[in-house]
Amino acid sequence: MTGTIPYCDATTCVTAGCTPTVCRGLGIPSNQGIFDRSARAIPGGVNSSIRAFKSVGGTPYIVSRAEGARVWDVEGRELLDLVQSYGAIILGHAHPKVTEAIRAAAGDGTSYGAPTPREMKLAEAIGERVPSCERVRFMNSGTEATSTAVRLARGATGRKRIVTFNGNFHGATDALLAAGGSGLATLGLPGTAGVPEEAVANTWVLPYNVVPVLDNDVAAVFVEPVAANMGVVAPAPGFLEGLRAECDRVGALLVFDEVITGFRLGLGGAQAKYDVRPDLTCFGKVIGGGLPIGAVGGRRDIMENLTPLGSVFHAGTLAGNPLATAAGLAALNELNGDVYMELLARARHLSALLRDACASNGIHAQFPVVGTLVGMHFGDALTEAPSNFDEAKTTDEKLYAQVFHAMLNAGVAMAPGAYEALFVGLAHTDDVMEELAHRSSVALGGLRS
Ligand SMILES: *Cc1c(COP(=O)(O)O)cnc(C)c1O
């Protein structure tokens, strides 16, 4: 190892005997070394479980830096990135406008415990683009957004019951971490240790893409309007409209979890694409430009149940954070109709190139495209793209693990789990797409032999 890798900061390397080319002062310039050392300080070495590679096996690549469509690991290896922070990044990593906005904001202080103009501007920007969001409240993650929406829906309606759909993901919120059974409608069971039955006793988990019959115990229906955490599953025609009508019939609130789809499918999110107006919308990911953020937006009369106007408590020391709102505003400023047309084309291109690379090497796989989102399903269990969780679960996880590692070895980073989406953004230019096609065919050709 030599000093040719430009991002090494030799001056910060203090560990005796270290070759300070790529370790940035850590003294352990290998993925394995850093992962092992992390695991002595952090449970499992990660701060979000999927990053540990448990479902695909092997050692995670530890990211040193990223730019545009590329990430570099601590060993100096470059990867074309289809993870893009699980969709939080849409302009590409370290986009100059976002980086500059963060830098400028940081110089003014990073958190005050008082209102700021940027929160106002970001709330206005969201409200202008997503008309159902007459009021917007910020928090620090998508998880906080969904947990706030649960409390708000219950507080506003005076009801307890929450309805969710099997295979939808709403973050690490106890009331929404319910597991459904297979097929028929089931009462929620705790989806993880640590969630008592009582916490999900009022959560029903129903099959996706079937409009349920509700009763007037239901406070809210939470749905991913395009499901993007079981591969990518489109709403069946009439599903979202049917939910709207059924919620209206029983006086329940319709909550769209647009943490992934918001500002990813288009400026108006899934609600604009499918022309269904929810009562509340949860946001995260893109609206923070890669910094921690979450938001709940919605009807004024419902939103005004939040404290200080109403009686549903919400607070956050860092909520409406100056850096996160600066980055989010910078990101939203770059997004317009033309950008989404471009992203649509790239999503189709990605799907096609992966399909071709699989097909020409005898690998059965589907890469369904819903707007700018690309999903994946491996194996030959289905002839059409999955439409619910039972179908999504037929994916061949072992085959995916092989594909994942072949792609990684050829320099393409996909999510280390068979149920994630693939993300393209503004940085996935024609050149990048060409390189992706090349690396994919090398990767999957190698898998065949
Ligand atoms: C990522 C995600 C969340 C959770 O957001 P975090 O910021 O990770 O807490 C919630 N809902 C959906 C649909 C998501 O994709």
Side-chain angles (χ1 to χ4, degrees):
M1 291 199 204
T2 63
T4 54
I5 294 160
Y7 53 86
C8 174
D9 181 1
T11 59
T12 64
C13 190
V14 293
T15 311
C18 165
T19 307
T21 48
V22 290
C23 73
R24 303 199 119 181
L26 289 162
I28 311 169
S30 78
N31 291 318
Q32 188 70 55
I34 294 193
F35 189 52
D36 290 348
R37 180 168 159 187
S38 294
R40 290 196 287 276
I42 300 168
V46 293
N47 288 302
S48 193
S49 304
I50 193 170
R51 298 178 198 162
F53 276 32
K54 255 197 134 172
S55 74
V56 292
T59 303
Y61 57 91
I62 311 290
V63 175
S64 168
R65 64 180 283 268
E67 193 180 325
R70 295 160 205 274
V71 300
W72 285 264
D73 72 10
V74 294
E75 296 172 7
R77 200 168 52 125
E78 171 251 22
L79 302 167
L80 294 178
D81 185 33
L82 297 175
V83 181
Q84 299 287 311
S85 190
Y86 293 88
I89 305 292
I90 194 165
L91 304 179
H93 295 291
H95 187 278
K97 292 256 173 70
V98 175
T99 305
E100 190 39 53
I102 295 169
R103 203 170 270 133
D108 293 337
T110 57
S111 186
Y112 318 115
T116 70
R118 283 196 202 90
E119 310 163 64
M120 172 189 76
K121 286 192 199 156
L122 186 57
E124 287 174 353
I126 292 171
E128 281 159 16
R129 291 160 177 79
V130 188
S132 73
C133 294
E134 297 166 356
R135 296 289 184 274
V136 180
R137 176 64 66 83
F138 292 109
M139 50 286 305
N140 303 303
S141 67
T143 292
E144 270 185 70
T146 58
S147 65
T148 303
V150 167
R151 192 179 318 115
L152 175 56
R154 285 175 167 164
T157 60
R159 302 173 180 183
K160 291 183 193 169
R161 179 96 58 218
I162 299 292
V163 168
T164 65
F165 295 97
N166 222 347
N168 279 190
F169 176 69
H170 302 295
T173 298
D174 278 11
L176 300 172
L177 278 173
S182 126
L184 288 176
T186 38
L187 284 176
L189 303 169
T192 165
V195 173
E197 279 157 42
E198 291 82 350
V200 291
N202 290 299
T203 305
W204 280 0
V205 185
L206 309 181
Y208 193 71
N209 268 335
V210 178
V211 179
V213 177
L214 305 176
D215 58 36
N216 52 19
D217 288 344
V218 178
V221 172
F222 277 70
V223 65
E224 278 189 81
V226 174
N229 288 282
M230 52 169 158
V232 171
V233 176
F239 177 57
L240 299 174
E241 295 86 338
L243 293 180
R244 178 69 275 173
E246 190 58 13
C247 284
D248 288 344
R249 190 180 69 79
V250 299
L253 303 183
L254 179 59
V255 183
F256 276 7
D257 182 348
E258 297 228 40
V259 171
I260 280 192
T261 54
F263 300 96
R264 168 68 55 181
L265 288 181
L267 282 181
Q271 53 198 274
K273 180 174 165 65
Y274 295 100
D275 195 21
V276 174
R277 190 177 174 114
D279 299 299
L280 296 175
T281 304
C282 298
F283 296 98
K285 297 192 172 118
V286 170
I287 65 158
L291 267 69
I293 203 165
V296 178
R299 263 169 51 193
R300 175 180 173 179
D301 62 315
I302 300 168
M303 292 296 294
E304 291 188 347
N305 283 281
L306 289 172
T307 51
L309 295 177
S311 53
V312 179
F313 183 68
H314 171 255
T317 302
L318 297 178
N321 180 259
L323 298 197
T325 50
L329 276 168
L332 294 200
N333 277 340
E334 298 300 304
L335 297 171
N336 56 45
D338 292 343
V339 166
Y340 290 107
M341 291 303 286
E342 190 63 44
L343 294 183
L344 274 175
R346 284 182 203 166
R348 289 196 204 103
H349 187 177
L350 177 67
S351 169
L353 75 84
L354 291 172
R355 189 187 57 217
D356 291 349
C358 284
S360 54
N361 291 292
I363 296 166
H364 289 283
Q366 303 187 51
F367 299 94
V369 178
V370 182
T372 58
L373 285 164
V374 182
M376 47 190 185
H377 185 275
F378 285 85
D380 53 9
L382 301 178
T383 50
E384 280 177 33
S387 65
N388 59 42
F389 192 44
D390 284 345
E391 290 179 7
K393 273 190 306 190
T394 63
T395 199
D396 185 338
E397 294 183 30
K398 287 202 178 110
L399 177 57
Y400 180 63
Q402 288 180 304
V403 168
F404 170 86
H405 281 293
M407 294 286 277
L408 192 58
N409 288 336
V412 180
M414 300 165 83
Y419 298 92
E420 305 300 327
L422 300 164
F423 293 98
V424 287
L426 269 189
H428 294 79
T429 56
D430 290 346
D431 288 354
V432 171
M433 297 305 287
E434 212 170 284
E435 184 65 25
L436 261 173
H438 173 69
R439 292 187 191 184
S440 303
S441 86
V442 169
L444 302 183
L447 203 55
R448 174 183 222 173
S449 50

